[in-house]
Every structure is written in C-alpha cells, then in structure tokens.
C-alpha cells in the first residue's frame, strides 16, 4: 500500500502468452522511474539518451530511430519564428540578384526563422518548418549567395558577400540541437546504401543515381499521419511529402515530394546548395542542387 510501481517493456499480450523482458520496480519511497533515471553521486537525474528515445528540443518532442549505426530524428524539425513567404521588399530581399530572381525572407541573423507551407501554421505543426539553406546551417542570410570551395576532406569554405568566410565541417550543427547536426551527403548515402550496397545517391554533374530502393523504405506508409504516403517505413524514419517553398515566394508539391537540405553547398555554382529528394510513386532517393533561398525540410542526425 502506498507504493509506486514502474514498468519497462510492458506492452504485449498476457492471456495465453508468455511475457518476456518485462521489468517491474515497486517501492514505498520510489519517487523516480528507475528505468528512466540513474543515480550519480547519490542524486537522481535523467538517464543518458538512447537512440529510440524521444528527444525534447525547444518545447517540441522528436522521436528518434536507429538505422544501421546512424541515429536520426524521425520527424522534420520545427523550430523558429514563422515568417510569411513573399517576393518583394522591404521584408524580403534578393541576396543573389541578378543571377537568380529569388527572394529570401529569412533575413534576421539574430533569429531562427521558418516558413510554413502555404503560410499556414498548421503545416509547420504537422510536417515541420521549411528553411532556406543558410538558415538551416545557422549562417547569415547573405551566405545564400556565397561562392564555395570544396576542401576535399568533407569540409567546405564559403565566402559570404558581407559577413565573411565560414567553414562548413563534417558535423555542422546549424539549427539542430546540441549533439546533432545537418546531415552530409555521405551520411545520406550511407543511409541509402543500407538498402542497396554501393549505390550512388548524387545525381548532379552527370552522375547516374542508382539508389533505387531506399526511398520507399524511408517514406511514411499510407495509413500514417499527418500525411499519408506510399512508402513502407521499415526504418521508422517516417519521411513526409511536405513539399517546399520556392524562391519566388510560392509553394509546391505538398503531398508528393520530400525535399531536405544537406550541409553541402554546390561548389560549382554560387547560390546553390545540395538537397536530398524522394518523390511519390518512386522508390529511389537522390541528391541534387537547388537554389539556397528555397525553403526545404530539415532532419537532424546525431553526432
């Protein structure tokens, strides 16, 4: 009487079935869940993060999933202040004129800003925010038009017109939580190669993409919400067709296209960044180049 009890691995059938790995802890003075808290120097505190746990970040909870040796968020990132997409001054600027007629509205370098598809808050809540490349990388917005150099070791140096030079490392945190980062092309490639060994994910510069299976396995299933899709979701990645914000201020492909930033700029063209894309009816996954002022989804991967 008066005891607190905690369970671990407590799901499953009971009648006519054996229950394996069920753990129960009860005690009169058991105030902390021993399966979620550990003792350190006599004090109770949160247990270390284990991939598969939910991750709390900026008042939102993110499921995580272990795929091979990689730990990924299983939901698109949704942090920052909503900024309406537009194609005119004064709130939106064209950082790359006259090369591209594309508009950046995420221009406050002291604030994380996001677009919501169709400028609708509900779409951010359901599917995550949409971010320009510089915003996703945590860089000043003028870096959307910066030239870049591939240093050959997985890092890039970009030269932003007014804010100076920056090095993008192998694990660039950007707007991800501490201990997490914007995925690199090689990390997306490793993810795809779990389904199809040695396949090529890069489709730019004349490469022939051959990762023809992973996309279907990463996409959400038809009975999953908030957006039903045509995947199998065998990795619990639950990729959603959240669409994207075009640099001209409009929105496209909600319900049919998942487009997510990588940390890599395009070294061949200033103003372009590398993205990963998966489409409806197709099983493949690829990376290619896109204008950095477009608003794409973001998934984070653990360091």
């Amino acid at each position: 009487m008066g005891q607190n009890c905690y369970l671990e691995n407590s799901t499953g059938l009971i009648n006519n079935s054996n229950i394996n790995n069920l753990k129960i802890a009860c005690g009169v003075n058991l105030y902390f869940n021993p399966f979620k808290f550990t003792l350190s120097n006599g004090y109770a505190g949160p247990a270390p993060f284990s991939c598969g746990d939910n991750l709390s970040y900026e008042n939102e909870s993110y499921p995580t999933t272990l795929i091979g040796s990689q730990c990924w968020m299983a939901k698109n990132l949704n942090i920052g202040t909503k900024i309406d997409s537009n194609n005119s001054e004064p709130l939106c600027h064209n950082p790359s004129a006259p090369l591209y007629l594309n508009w950046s509205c995420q221009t406050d370098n002291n604030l994380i800003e996001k677009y919501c598809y169709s400028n609708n808050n509900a779409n951010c809540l359901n599917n995550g925010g949409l971010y320009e490349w510089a915003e996703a990388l945590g860089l000043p917005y003028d870096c959307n038009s910066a030239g870049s150099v591939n240093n050959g070791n997985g890092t890039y140096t970009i030269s932003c017109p007014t804010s100076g030079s920056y090095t993008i490392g192998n694990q660039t945190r950007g707007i991800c939580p501490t201990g997490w980062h914007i995925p690199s092309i090689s990390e997306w490639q490793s993810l795809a190669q779990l389904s199809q060994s040695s396949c090529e994910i890069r489709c730019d510069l004349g490469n022939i993409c051959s990762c023809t299976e992973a996309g279907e396995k990463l996409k959400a299933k038809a009975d999953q919400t908030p957006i039903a899709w045509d995947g199998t979701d065998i990795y619990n990645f639950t990729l959603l067709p959240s669409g994207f914000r075009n640099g001209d201020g409009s929105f496209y492909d909600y319900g049919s296209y998942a487009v997510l930033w990588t940390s890599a700029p395009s070294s061949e063209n200033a103003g372009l960044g590398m993205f990963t894309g998966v489409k409806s009816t197709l099983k493949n996954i690829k990376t290619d180049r896109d204008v950095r002022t477009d608003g794409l989804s973001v998934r984070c991967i653990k360091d």
Side-chain angles (χ1 to χ4, degrees), residues 9-195:
N9 298 329
S10 56
T11 60
L13 298 176
I14 295 177
N15 294 334
N16 301 318
S17 298
N18 292 323
I19 300 296
N20 297 319
N21 300 319
L22 175 65
K23 299 178 183 179
I24 304 175
C26 296
V28 175
N29 297 315
L30 191 61
Y31 301 114
F32 299 99
N33 185 341
F35 306 122
K36 296 297 183 183
F37 288 79
T38 57
L39 289 176
S40 176
N41 298 323
Y43 295 95
F49 172 82
S50 178
C51 196
D53 292 346
N54 280 3
L55 176 71
S56 179
Y57 181 45
E58 296 294 328
N59 300 314
E60 186 147 351
S61 181
Y62 295 88
T64 63
T65 183
L66 184 66
I67 309 175
S69 61
Q70 298 175 330
C71 184
W72 289 84
M73 280 186 177
K75 188 169 85 169
N76 291 347
L77 196 63
N78 180 36
I79 63 166
T81 299
K82 175 179 171 290
I83 301 296
D84 282 349
S85 177
N86 208 330
N87 58 359
S88 63
E89 301 283 352
L91 297 180
C92 303
H93 308 300
N94 185 348
S96 51
L99 182 58
Y100 302 106
L101 295 178
N102 291 287
W103 293 86
S104 170
C105 306
Q106 298 179 353
T107 59
D108 188 337
N109 294 331
N110 298 310
L111 186 70
I112 296 178
E113 298 164 303
K114 65 183 179 183
Y115 301 116
C116 298
Y117 193 94
S118 293
N119 295 322
N120 186 338
N121 281 318
N123 286 322
C124 276
L125 293 175
N126 291 334
N127 320 312
L130 301 174
Y131 303 90
E132 297 175 14
W133 182 83
E135 192 77 18
L137 272 290
L139 297 169
Y141 92 96
D142 70 297
C143 295
N144 279 328
S145 58
S148 63
V149 175
N150 187 338
N151 298 321
N153 58 357
T155 70
Y156 301 84
T157 300
I158 63 172
S159 301
C160 307
T162 59
S163 59
S165 295
Y166 297 86
T167 297
I168 299 170
N170 291 301
Q171 295 184 346
T172 297
R173 175 187 173 188
I175 58 175
C176 293
T178 301
W180 297 72
H181 61 274
I182 306 294
S184 65
I185 292 177
S186 62
E187 286 170 324
W188 280 109
Q189 176 121 315
S190 295
L191 179 61
Q193 288 177 347
L194 286 174
S195 298

Side-chain angles (χ1 to χ4, degrees), residues 215-234 237-241 299:
E216 180 186 46
K217 298 175 182 180
L218 296 173
K219 289 191 285 187
K221 295 184 290 186
D223 61 350
Q224 289 175 311
T225 57
I227 314 176
W229 215 6
D230 58 353
T232 59
D233 199 30
I234 66 170
F237 194 77
T238 319
L239 191 59
L240 299 175
R299 286 286 178 106

